[in-house]
């Protein structure tokens, strides 16, 4: 059966063109939103040649086709339906059926934006973990080397591998958001790149006290958005909707000139002078709160930050904590935040591993297993956005696991000799009498999150909601 024939058959078995609201695809699945899911002939779809399975999840009928094939079948489907994936519902004037409550829809919307970019985040996580291990003095000493022996050219190459995806994360998020909300993806890419323009002070440099934000109108502080998620996400939604509105009102003769120009102008102004400063003010408040919390007595601070500190990564404002870590290291040579924060990463790994083992969907397993390894190496975005936050309960279980580990880290008075690496690579910051305790708190965090997710945090029905 050719891809064209398969596409025609799939459209027929999901209720025909009239039943299709929108069509998307990810790495392995064709994802179709339908008006009436009762019209889907599931058994007949799964019996089709080259179809590896199907399921209904988060309001979408998802057909597993595999990498490569899914792209070709998707192309044939949109040739028939005329749905290019950018503005299906509004352009075709179909009545969209909404599945799930508002919170479930919000989580699904967030997850849909991140699914396309998870592979590069996983790969980057592995690169960062390996670079962190191979460039530490303890590892180099095994080969009779010191940091001075490592070629600067080689270090530059490794930085290209480890820094690119996160340096331009806003561009990836904005592109995917535009794509999901009916805007032009290429405008999303450019708008996202504007958020990390070299003309803006680097967010990490500002957080570390190495650079000052730009000040507009005497009071408005502006920085770049390196590593940020929320500004690009919110900007992407508003700018995509604004672009769609423009296309309905701008005459066709000048649409090519006016719409991109006005969309980028309004979107950049909104992000740089509205959303950005608002989040900057929020970051300053968070910095003071975290600094107060982590030193609360009897392990309370460790539990609270180990549990709720994981929420900072979701909103992309965690980089502000670099300033706090550098300040600690400058004062007495110790980093008290790292051992608590790493417990949250290991808890995410434990929760996502439990999901990977229990999941029925091959797609969930394909995302969850590598996300576990990535989280253990210090990069939790794939685990959080690709799996745990998507199903909600696993994320809650990881918060609990991180809280328990953070409590123990605080009780044991763990403190790192550096910063920027956690999880397995972070072991190199505790090559002293603390090492057994560091390993213990990480194992406990992982085990608690795994056990809770396995027992009460995830079940097969959650994949079908």
């Amino acid at each position: 059966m050719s891809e064209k024939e398969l596409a025609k058959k799939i459209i027929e078995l999901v209720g025909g063109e009239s039943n299709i609201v929108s069509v998307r695809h990810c790495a392995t699945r064709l994802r179709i939103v339908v008006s009436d899911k009762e019209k889907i002939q599931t058994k007949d779809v799964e019996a089709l040649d080259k179809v590896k399975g199907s399921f209904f999840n988060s309001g979408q009928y998802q057909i597993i086709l595999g990498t490569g094939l899914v792209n070709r079948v998707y192309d044939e489907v949109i040739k028939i339906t005329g749905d290019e994936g950018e503005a299906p519902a509004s352009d075709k004037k179909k009545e969209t059926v909404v599945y799930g409550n508002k919170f479930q829809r919000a989580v699904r919307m967030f997850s849909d934006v991140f699914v396309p970019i998870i592979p590069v985040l996983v790969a980057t996580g592995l690169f960062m973990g390996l670079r962190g291990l191979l460039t530490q003095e303890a590892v180099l000493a095994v080969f009779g080397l010191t940091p001075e022996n490592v070629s600067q050219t080689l270090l530059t190459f490794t930085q290209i591998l480890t820094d690119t995806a996160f340096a331009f994360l806003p561009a990836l998020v904005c592109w995917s958001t535009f794509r999901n909300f009916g805007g032009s993806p290429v405008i999303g890419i450019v708008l996202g790149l504007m958020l990390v323009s070299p003309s803006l002070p680097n967010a990490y440099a500002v957080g570390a006290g190495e650079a000052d934000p730009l000040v507009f109108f005497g009071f408005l502080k502006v920085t770049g958005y390196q590593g940020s998620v929320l500004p690009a996400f919110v900007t992407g939604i508003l700018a995509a909707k604004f672009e769609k509105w423009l296309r309905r009102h701008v005459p066709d003769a000048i649409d090519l000139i006016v719409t991109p120009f006005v969309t980028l102008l309004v979107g950049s102004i909104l992000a740089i002078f509205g959303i950005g400063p608002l989040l900057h003010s929020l970051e300053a408040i968070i910095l003071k709160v975290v600094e107060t919390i982590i030193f609360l007595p009897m392990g309370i601070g460790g539990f609270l930050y180990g549990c709720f500190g994981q929420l900072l990564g979701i909103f992309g404002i965690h980089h502000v904590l670099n300033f706090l870590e550098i300040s600690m290291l400058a004062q007495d040579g110790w980093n008290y935040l790292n051992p608590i924060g790493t417990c949250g990463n290991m808890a995410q790994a434990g929760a996502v591993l439990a999901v990977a083992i229990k999941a029925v969907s091959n797609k969930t397993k394909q995302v969850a297993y590598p996300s576990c390894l990535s989280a253990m190496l210090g990069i939790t975005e794939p685990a959080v956005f690709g799996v745990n936050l998507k199903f909600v309960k696993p994320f809650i279980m990881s918060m609990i696991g991180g809280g328990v580990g953070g409590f123990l880290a605080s009780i044991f008075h763990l403190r790192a000799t550096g910063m920027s690496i956690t999880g397995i690579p972070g072991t190199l910051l505790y090559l002293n009498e603390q090492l057994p305790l560091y390993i213990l708190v990480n194992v406990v965090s992982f085990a608690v999150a795994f056990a809770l997710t396995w027992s009460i945090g995830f079940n097969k029905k959650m994949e079908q909601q």
Side-chain angles (χ1 to χ4, degrees), residues 35-88:
S35 297
D36 184 0
K37 66 179 181 179
E38 299 301 324
K39 293 183 179 180
I40 299 174
Q41 301 176 49
T42 305
K43 292 183 179 179
D44 291 334
V45 170
E46 293 179 346
L48 291 173
D49 183 32
K50 300 180 182 178
V51 171
K52 299 177 177 64
S54 70
F55 59 94
F56 199 88
N57 180 38
S58 301
Q60 296 176 329
Y61 182 54
Q62 306 190 21
I63 304 171
I64 305 170
L65 297 171
T67 55
L69 177 61
V70 68
N71 300 76
R72 298 191 297 273
V73 173
Y74 170 78
D75 289 340
E76 295 297 335
V77 168
I78 62 175
K79 285 179 183 177
I80 299 171
T81 64
D83 180 358
E84 292 293 337
E86 268 73 40

Side-chain angles (χ1 to χ4, degrees), residues 383-399:
V384 171
F385 296 116
V387 181
N388 293 342
L389 188 61
K390 175 181 178 181
F391 296 117
V392 183
K393 283 187 178 180
F395 185 83
I396 295 174
M397 300 304 115
S398 71
M399 290 177 64

Side-chain angles (χ1 to χ4, degrees), residues 9 31 49 52 57 88 104 121 142 165 167 173 217 259 274 284 292 318 334 365 390 397 409 412 427 436 439 449:
K9 202 65 181 173
R31 307 180 343 160
D49 183 32
K52 299 177 177 64
N57 180 38
Q104 289 173 323
L121 296 183
V142 174
V173 172
F217 314 118
T259 300
T292 301
H318 53 293
W334 297 106
K365 291 179 179 291
K390 175 181 178 181
M397 300 304 115
F412 294 148
T427 303
I439 294 174

Side-chain angles (χ1 to χ4, degrees), residues 148-181:
E148 289 73 24
N149 298 130
V150 181
S151 166
Q152 185 60 46
T153 302
L154 178 61
L155 287 177
T156 300
F157 173 69
T158 61
Q159 287 176 335
I160 293 172
L161 293 174
T162 59
D163 297 354
T164 301
F166 283 94
F168 295 99
L169 184 59
L172 299 177
V173 172
C174 226
W175 160 77
S176 189
T177 305
F178 262 70
R179 183 173 176 272
N180 275 273
F181 283 86

Side-chain angles (χ1 to χ4, degrees), residues 7 50 117 141 158 180 192 196 200 207 221 253 262 265 314 436 447:
K50 300 180 182 178
I117 63 179
T158 61
N180 275 273
V196 290
L200 295 173
K221 294 182 178 181
V262 176
L265 178 62
I314 296 178

Side-chain angles (χ1 to χ4, degrees), residues 354-355 358-359 391 393-394 453-454 456-460 462-463:
V355 173
K358 291 191 71 175
F391 296 117
K393 283 187 178 180
T453 303
W454 182 274
I456 61 175
F458 181 78
N459 56 61
K460 298 175 183 177
M462 292 170 66
E463 292 186 86

Side-chain angles (χ1 to χ4, degrees), residues 17 20-21 80-83 87-95:
E17 290 185 56
I20 295 176
V21 175
I80 299 171
T81 64
D83 180 358
S90 61
D91 289 353
K92 298 178 76 172
K93 309 295 183 182
K94 293 183 180 178
E95 180 182 358

